[in-house]
Amino acid sequence: MTFWALRGEACQFGITTAIMARHHLIQGLFMPFITISATQSFSQEQKKALLHKASDAVIEAVGASLKSVRVMLHELPGGHYLAEGKLDTPAINFRVDMIEGRTEQQKAALIAGLSKSAHEATGISEDDVRVWLIDMPTTNVGMAGGITARQAGR
């Protein structure tokens, strides 16, 4: 089942669990966008904590505004993740899509912050957390109003 939460309001959409963290959908920036894939079911409180802590880690590490941060959680059903030749090993994977321009130090801080947030929110070992950072050229990012990030002055 898919849920988009907008300041505590939830709407049902589909088959996985997804929550947009901590803010109303508004016009403006849509970066960074964090997609979390998790292999085990967590309680609603753990999911909420993971989403909020991931949002906070991005804000702290790269200086993004709360209004620009989007976080989505996908829970993988049993039999849909293989690591080290074993099915369903505990894991949390972060994919962060963001407009290019962050420093190496900001990226390192983001990786560390997301790893820590996963551990603190769920108890999963930081050894079972992976983070991928994807830099998007400003010409490849669509903004509110149907313009590119470059056209928006980014």
Side-chain angles (χ1 to χ4, degrees), residues 50-62:
L50 179 60
L51 291 164
H52 285 289
K53 286 180 178 290
S55 178
D56 292 344
V58 171
I59 292 165
E60 184 176 321
V62 301

Side-chain angles (χ1 to χ4, degrees), residues 40 42 46 50 90 92 115-129:
Q40 58 189 52
F42 295 108
Q46 287 174 310
L50 179 60
I92 293 178
S115 184
K116 181 179 177 183
S117 70
H119 172 71
E120 289 177 352
T122 68
I124 196 167
S125 169
E126 288 189 56
D127 291 339
D128 297 318
V129 177

Side-chain angles (χ1 to χ4, degrees), residues 6 29 35 84 114-115 142:
L6 312 174
L29 303 178
T35 305
E84 301 174 3
L114 289 172
S115 184

Side-chain angles (χ1 to χ4, degrees), residues 84-105:
E84 301 174 3
K86 300 175 191 167
L87 278 174
D88 302 326
T89 58
I92 293 178
N93 299 317
F94 292 91
R95 178 188 164 122
V96 182
D97 294 289
M98 58 189 173
I99 295 173
E100 65 188 350
R102 274 49 179 225
T103 67
E104 188 175 325
Q105 293 80 13

Side-chain angles (χ1 to χ4, degrees), residues 1-5 8-12 15-21 38 40-53 73-75 120-122:
M1 189 170 293
T2 299
F3 292 96
W4 295 95
E9 302 166 18
C11 302
Q12 290 186 348
I15 54 174
T16 58
T17 299
I19 298 176
M20 297 298 283
Q40 58 189 52
S41 295
F42 295 108
S43 71
Q44 285 302 108
E45 278 304 308
Q46 287 174 310
K47 292 176 203 177
K48 182 178 176 181
L50 179 60
L51 291 164
H52 285 289
K53 286 180 178 290
L73 173 63
H74 293 277
E75 293 178 287
E120 289 177 352
T122 68

Side-chain angles (χ1 to χ4, degrees), residues 124-152:
I124 196 167
S125 169
E126 288 189 56
D127 291 339
D128 297 318
V129 177
R130 298 292 183 270
V131 179
W132 294 271
L133 304 180
I134 312 299
D135 283 324
M136 308 286 288
T138 58
T139 55
N140 292 7
V141 177
M143 308 296 283
I147 62 174
T148 68
R150 180 174 286 170
Q151 290 169 324

